[in-house]
Amino acid sequence: MAQLSCVDLTLGYEGKSIISGINFEINAGDYLCILGENGSGKSTLMKTLLGLHSPMAGTIKTSDGLDIREIGYLPQQTVIQRDFPASVKEIVISGCQGRCGLRPFYNKAEKALAANNMKRLGIENLAKRCYRELSGGQQQRVLLARALCATGKMLLLDEPVSGLDPKVTADMYSLIKNLNKDGITVIMISHDIRAAVEYASHILHIGDYVFFGTKEEYINSNGFKSLKGAV
C-alpha cells in the first residue's frame, strides 16, 4: 500500500478553487518533485499534505505507520526567519517538539537525535553558533537537520535551494539525495526542471495541465516536451 495517496483533490481558499483533479501516490523511499508555474498551488498542496489546510474536495490517506504530524517540513525562509536569534543546537532540537507531548523538556534520546542529525548534515561544529550569523547554505542545513528530528520517514521540502549559489545548491541536492538513499521519502517543490529530472523518481506537475508519473514518463510526456527550452 502507498505510504501517501491523494485522490481527486481540489485545493483553494475561501471557497475559491485553485486547482482540482490532483491524483497521485508515493511509496516509501520515493523521491517526488512537484513542478508548476507560480500560483499553480504547489505550496498550498504541501500545506494541505501537512494538515495545515483542508482540501475543498478529495481525500488524503497515509499508511506504513506514517503520521502526518510526524512529517518533517522545510518551508521557504522569510527575511525574519533568517535573522532568528537562537543557537543552531536550539533550532535543530526544536524539531523534536512533536515528540514531547505535554513534557516541557527534551529527554536524553531527543538530545542524542538532534546531535546525530547535526553530525549527519556536517554542522555539529556549528552547534553553539547563532543561527542568524550563518551563511544561507548553513542555515538550510540547520533547518534540514531540524526537519529530520521530526521524522524518520518523510520530508517535505519547499524550494530548499532558493537563493543559494550554484555550489551550495549542488551540495544541498547531494544531501537530499543521500537522505533519500537512506530510505527517507522526499517530496520537494522545485522550479528547477533540470534537477527534477536528474534526482526525482516521480514527477507531479500542476498548473495548466496536471501530470503524475515516473521521471521517465514525464520526460516522454507532451507537457515536458513543451518545456524543452527550459532544460
Side-chain angles (χ1 to χ4, degrees):
M1 183 177 290
Q3 190 177 44
L4 184 147
S5 60
C6 296
V7 180
D8 293 332
L9 283 188
T10 296
L11 307 178
Y13 293 96
E14 299 176 353
K16 183 178 180 180
S17 171
I18 297 175
I19 190 167
S20 60
I22 298 177
N23 292 275
F24 69 93
E25 63 179 32
I26 55 175
N27 297 310
D30 282 350
Y31 189 148
L32 173 69
C33 269
I34 303 175
L35 303 173
E37 300 76 17
N38 289 332
S40 60
K42 300 185 300 296
S43 292
T44 301
L45 172 59
M46 189 161 283
K47 291 175 182 177
T48 302
L49 296 178
L50 290 165
L52 302 176
H53 289 305
S54 297
M56 296 179 68
T59 58
I60 300 173
K61 298 179 181 179
T62 61
S63 63
D64 191 34
L66 179 67
D67 187 328
I68 287 178
R69 295 170 297 179
E70 297 173 344
I71 295 174
Y73 178 43
L74 178 60
Q76 290 190 53
Q77 279 204 84
T78 65
V79 173
I80 292 176
Q81 289 169 331
R82 291 191 182 97
D83 201 36
F84 194 67
S87 73
V88 167
K89 182 179 179 180
E90 289 171 331
I91 289 177
V92 172
I93 201 170
S94 70
C96 294
Q97 286 179 352
R99 302 172 182 269
C100 294
L102 298 177
R103 175 166 37 86
F105 59 88
Y106 299 111
N107 61 27
K108 185 176 180 180
E110 290 155 357
K111 292 176 182 177
L113 178 63
N116 181 64
N117 283 327
M118 285 189 286
K119 183 176 181 179
R120 192 177 188 181
L121 295 186
I123 56 172
E124 67 272 27
N125 61 318
L126 303 176
K128 296 182 180 180
R129 290 275 303 276
C130 182
Y131 176 77
R132 65 184 175 187
E133 296 174 355
L134 304 181
S135 68
Q138 290 171 329
Q139 287 187 344
Q140 286 298 81
R141 285 179 181 241
V142 171
L143 295 180
L144 188 54
R146 180 185 185 276
L148 286 170
C149 283
T151 186
K153 294 187 176 183
M154 181 179 288
L155 287 171
L156 270 60
L157 313 174
D158 192 349
E159 296 284 359
V161 300
S162 179
L164 303 182
D165 66 42
K167 182 183 184 303
V168 177
T169 292
D171 289 343
M172 181 60 65
Y173 279 137
S174 179
L175 277 174
I176 295 167
K177 180 181 179 180
N178 288 335
L179 292 172
N180 180 243
K181 284 184 175 180
D182 287 343
I184 295 178
T185 305
V186 173
I187 300 178
M188 180 175 72
I189 290 177
S190 178
H191 283 100
D192 190 341
I193 298 175
R194 288 179 183 271
V197 298
E198 178 177 354
Y199 295 108
S201 62
H202 294 75
I203 303 290
L204 173 65
H205 189 121
I206 61 177
D208 292 338
Y209 71 98
V210 177
F211 169 93
F212 171 71
T214 66
K215 170 175 61 179
E216 292 76 19
E217 289 169 340
Y218 181 64
I219 290 172
N220 291 317
S221 70
N222 290 332
F224 177 78
K225 291 174 182 177
S226 71
L227 299 172
K228 61 183 179 180
V231 295

